[in-house]
Amino acid sequence: GIQVEQSPPDLILQEGANSTLRCNFSDSVNNLQWFHQNPWGQLINLFYIPSGTKQNGRLSATTVATERYSLLYISSSQTTDSGVYFCAVERGDMRFGAGTRLTVKP
Amino acid sequence: NAGVTQTPKFQVLKTGQSMTLQCAQDMNHNSMYWYRQDPGMGLRLIYYSASEGTTDKGEVPNGYNVSRLNKREFSLRLESAAPSQTSVYFCASSEFSLHTGTGRRNEQFFGPGTRLTVL
């Protein structure tokens, strides 16, 4: 099946800093989503982005399908951004990366 | 509009016991999914249902059965629970199936999860 790799595995930031999370995948995909899993375990949809660039407030995402990667940008991070960020790709089935655990310190 | 709901939220079983996890969605979606999440890992697909009356195996189906009761409800059954099935279980739904291909927005929406411990 398709392989999904996320980097970095862990990230610690001071409040106000910017960050870039990366998702690499091993084959072409039909769909790609980014999720935030908050400290209570809830999965929150961030972006549905099989290709192109989207922005939502302080967050933006870019997927370059031809080069098989996607980036999630978080600007001016806040403590509420803490949690685990997952990339998930779909090609016949749905595969998740192992996630990036983000900790934002006040 | 509750989205995707799951019951129960928590469950503790003894090895060999059986139980059914319930999932319902009110978004009129055609496809529904069951995933498990183990510590430090992403979610893995157990089973999915592309439409009412159909089910297919995902990445980790062994030890589980599913029933698509109607368009709204999709249940996951553990017939004889094992400690290896200790996990958090998530249900999800989407408008289209996994084999839809490109060109359709097939975003998945997740329920709050069920934390299952098997002793």
Side-chain angles (χ1 to χ4, degrees):
Chain A
I2 194 167
Q3 304 298 312
V4 183
E5 294 183 357
Q6 291 187 241
S7 60
D10 293 280
L11 188 57
I12 301 174
L13 300 174
Q14 286 297 131
E15 203 167 22
N18 302 329
S19 61
T20 301
L21 283 59
R22 188 176 179 101
C23 172
N24 292 333
F25 41 96
S26 61
D27 204 344
S28 60
V29 297
N30 297 328
N31 297 306
L32 187 147
Q33 287 185 247
W34 282 97
F35 297 91
H36 174 214
Q37 188 167 40
N38 65 22
W40 295 271
Q42 185 181 6
L43 282 163
I44 299 162
N45 290 36
L46 296 178
F47 292 102
Y48 176 85
I49 186 165
S51 63
T53 297
K54 292 186 178 179
Q55 181 157 7
N56 184 3
R58 296 181 296 103
L59 274 61
S60 64
T62 295
T63 297
V64 183
T66 53
E67 296 188 22
R68 300 178 185 170
Y69 72 88
S70 184
L71 301 173
L72 177 69
Y73 305 97
I74 304 174
S75 64
S76 304
S77 58
Q78 302 175 357
T79 56
T80 52
D81 294 332
S82 295
V84 183
Y85 290 80
F86 289 106
C87 162
V89 302
E90 185 225 306
R91 181 187 169 89
D93 67 0
M94 191 80 159
R95 295 293 174 107
F96 279 72
T100 292
R101 181 174 297 279
L102 175 64
T103 303
V104 181
K105 295 188 172 182
Chain B
N1 193 345
V4 181
T5 57
Q6 294 182 232
T7 55
K9 287 185 169 51
F10 302 94
Q11 185 71 48
V12 178
L13 293 177
K14 294 181 180 178
T15 297
Q17 287 184 317
S18 62
M19 79 160 296
T20 300
L21 281 63
Q22 306 285 354
C23 173
Q25 53 92 9
D26 62 2
M27 295 176 281
N28 200 35
H29 283 168
N30 291 302
S31 296
M32 297 185 73
Y33 312 83
W34 277 105
Y35 293 86
R36 62 179 287 173
Q37 183 179 26
D38 299 309
M41 296 179 67
L43 281 67
R44 291 183 292 170
L45 183 63
I46 304 171
Y47 270 94
Y48 67 96
S49 170
S51 61
E52 194 176 343
T54 68
T55 60
D56 286 288
K57 295 179 180 179
E59 187 182 355
V60 288
N62 291 345
Y64 304 95
N65 287 304
V66 290
S67 295
R68 184 72 182 269
L69 304 171
N70 47 56
K71 191 171 185 179
R72 290 187 64 248
E73 298 173 290
F74 189 38
S75 63
L76 178 73
R77 183 160 178 84
L78 286 70
E79 290 290 353
S80 180
S84 61
Q85 294 178 304
T86 293
S87 190
V88 180
Y89 291 85
F90 287 94
C91 178
S93 70
S94 67
E95 186 172 2
F96 305 109
S97 77
L98 291 177
H99 301 289
T100 293
T102 59
R104 288 186 173 182
R105 185 183 177 95
N106 200 26
E107 189 172 2
Q108 291 197 12
F109 295 89
F110 284 79
T114 295
R115 187 173 295 274
L116 175 67
T117 301
V118 183
L119 302 175

